[in-house]
Amino acid sequence: MAKHADITPAQEEGLLDARTASGAEWLARYSGALLNVFGTPQRVLVRGAGAVVWDADGKEYLDLLGGIAVNALGHAHPFVTSVISSQLATLGHVSNFFASPPQIALAEKLLDLSGAPEGSKVFFSNSGTEANEAAFKLARRNADGPDGPRRKILALEGAFHGRTMGALALTAKQAYREPFEPLPGGVEHLPFNDQDALRAAVDGQTAAVVLEPIQGEAGVRPLDPEYLRLARELCTEHGALLILDEVQTGVGRTGQWFAFQESGVLPDAMTLAKGLGGGFPIGALITFGEKVSALLNPGQHGTTFGGNPVATAAALATLHVIEQQGILAQVRATGERLARGLAAVPGVTDVRQRGLLIGIDLDADVAPAFVTAALDAGFILNAPGPHTLRLAPPLILSDAQADAFLGAFPGILSTAKAASAAE
Ligand SMILES: *Cc1c(COP(=O)(O)O)cnc(C)c1O
């Protein structure tokens, strides 16, 4: 595709000189102005269309990360874009003193798609961490227990639930937690997929068990369906809430609307974000059933931006396209095609694939070098571990695009190994 011809209104007014500044110039300005919590960004991206993006120097990339499982319909999807801009041109923000039709319609749609029972409800946030923060408060409200107040919240080793203090307390990684202690108390982390440890830990003082059906940040590690079923049984038996963090796995990512649907287990609460808005920031907490939904009452939680008309319209449009165009079946097929191809590449030792969430283990600690070599070759992905790669591309990725990556993979891997050996 040729370079974008249109000049945007912001560029016309001289607010953005994306068409003249180079990537290196932008990055110098970045480090002069942005708080250094992310390290140096890999590239400065200026434009996208479908699963393809372009950087400030005009180089084209196949985006196999989708903004970390966010751009469900790729970049600049025409329908999503037009729904967002027409909503913004009609009514952009109202505060939660008022309601708006997109907010109500989206809540109804999410309850429908998740198979939530009568009395289930939705709270909208702006991000995944905020959705989990709301879930944490929900868990605190499940305090009445047979053995005194329920203060214990169980999560898993390897868990990632976000960066605000409550969500961080649920997150396992020491490097993320330690600089910010003390964190909200009561959270214990159990070994991953260990049924005996779970059986021993859930009791009458447990407020909630918080699980990702597939740990994305830990390198795409799926929980066994039996583990999820056991968690459901134990939570029901002891009156604890089963809270599923589907921030990364939800909204079609795994080829189901929600990953839990494969296990047949119904949670007490579920959090969503990433793919929900098709690239527009929005998160959600869904509370399943009347009793759980009654745990949070007026005045106990809130947000200014959460559930605003533009974000909820964006999500409504995203869900509509996924449904109307049969994208879930396409996700399963493209994901299997990629997994088959990847498993056949020498040097790949394991492929963990659910739909278009794919973890790839390599036979050497060259994953970061692979990411760099892939960028040079025109592919965006990331390395959640030293020998692990992750793909979370737009759900609309075509067979031809998947095949292009498969074709390039062996060459990128040998470049990465050579670069690592030369260090
Ligand atoms: C990304 C992620 C979060 C945090 O979401 P943000 O929108 O970055 O705050 C929480 N849980 C899981 C499973 C995630 O993948």
Side-chain angles (χ1 to χ4, degrees):
M1 200 183 277
K3 214 166 172 209
H4 207 40
D6 297 337
I7 188 161
T8 68
Q11 287 165 349
E12 205 165 72
E13 280 298 305
L15 298 176
L16 292 167
D17 43 0
R19 283 150 47 101
T20 51
S22 72
E25 286 164 339
W26 275 117
L27 284 178
R29 286 170 59 184
Y30 178 99
S31 63
L34 276 290
L35 190 70
N36 185 22
V37 291
F38 299 111
T40 305
Q42 296 167 313
R43 297 288 193 276
V44 176
L45 301 179
V46 296
R47 189 167 68 82
V52 177
V53 292
W54 288 265
D55 72 13
D57 301 314
K59 185 172 165 66
E60 181 178 314
Y61 303 86
L62 181 60
D63 183 2
L64 295 166
L65 192 57
I68 317 183
V70 166
N71 297 297
L73 299 175
H75 300 269
H77 189 278
F79 180 68
V80 176
T81 305
S82 76
V83 168
I84 290 171
S85 53
S86 68
Q87 182 60 52
L88 190 57
T90 306
L91 186 67
H93 177 78
V94 296
S95 91
N96 289 299
F97 291 125
F98 303 94
S100 72
Q103 170 198 41
I104 297 162
L106 177 62
E108 290 171 347
K109 188 70 190 171
L110 287 173
L111 293 175
D112 179 36
L113 294 176
S114 61
E118 221 19 61
S120 300
K121 298 285 162 59
V122 181
F123 170 82
F124 289 118
S125 65
N126 310 290
S127 67
T129 199
E130 285 170 84
N132 286 330
E133 206 67 31
F136 196 112
K137 287 177 75 173
L138 184 80
R140 283 285 199 252
R141 292 288 300 144
N142 184 36
D144 296 339
D147 309 323
R150 300 173 185 273
R151 297 242 190 272
K152 186 159 73 172
I153 298 178
L154 300 170
L156 294 187
E157 287 170 6
F160 183 80
H161 297 291
R163 306 288 203 141
T164 56
M165 295 305 259
L168 188 57
L170 297 170
T171 293
K173 198 169 174 172
Q174 281 308 315
Y176 294 169
R177 299 168 56 90
E178 256 166 27
F180 305 102
E181 288 170 348
L183 297 170
V187 180
E188 290 171 30
H189 290 94
L190 304 176
F192 185 76
N193 248 341
D194 183 335
Q195 299 192 20
D196 292 337
L198 186 66
R199 239 183 241 105
V202 183
D203 58 21
Q205 293 187 329
T206 308
V209 177
V210 183
L211 304 171
E212 296 157 87
I214 303 167
Q215 288 188 335
E217 298 307 300
V220 190
R221 296 201 297 174
L223 272 181
D224 296 335
E226 303 80 60
Y227 186 94
L228 277 173
R229 284 193 280 272
L230 177 67
R232 175 67 281 171
E233 269 170 43
L234 292 170
C235 284
T236 303
E237 183 186 337
H238 294 282
L241 302 180
L242 177 61
I243 300 175
L244 294 184
D245 178 345
E246 294 233 24
V247 166
Q248 187 157 161
T249 53
V251 196
R253 175 56 49 194
T254 66
Q256 312 281 336
W257 280 110
F258 308 103
F260 79 79
Q261 290 169 326
E262 208 168 343
S263 67
V265 158
L266 213 58
D268 296 304
M270 168 169 71
T271 54
L272 301 173
K274 292 206 163 88
L276 179 57
F280 207 88
I282 180 170
L285 166 71
I286 304 182
T287 54
F288 285 64
E290 214 150 337
K291 204 166 146 232
V292 180
S293 302
L295 288 173
L296 284 170
N297 302 126
Q300 291 185 332
H301 198 48
T303 159
T304 297
F305 290 124
N308 73 77
V310 181
T312 49
L316 208 51
T318 301
L319 297 176
H320 178 78
V321 173
I322 293 174
E323 190 166 45
Q324 290 299 304
Q325 300 187 356
I327 285 176
L328 296 184
Q330 187 189 329
V331 166
R332 293 192 291 270
T334 318
E336 279 160 28
R337 184 187 190 93
L338 274 167
R340 264 197 314 275
L342 289 165
V345 178
V348 170
T349 56
D350 192 28
V351 179
R352 296 172 296 282
Q353 175 258 337
R354 299 287 187 284
L356 283 171
L357 185 57
I358 303 178
I360 307 158
D361 283 351
L362 304 173
D363 62 357
D365 286 352
V366 296
F370 189 103
V371 170
T372 305
L375 269 178
D376 291 341
F379 299 95
I380 294 174
L381 69 163
N382 92 315
H387 59 260
T388 304
L389 302 169
R390 171 178 48 180
L391 309 182
L395 307 182
I396 53 159
L397 191 78
S398 71
D399 283 354
Q401 288 169 327
D403 291 349
F405 178 61
L406 290 173
F409 195 105
I412 296 170
L413 183 56
S414 40
T415 305
K417 285 184 171 177
S420 295
E423 265 172 17

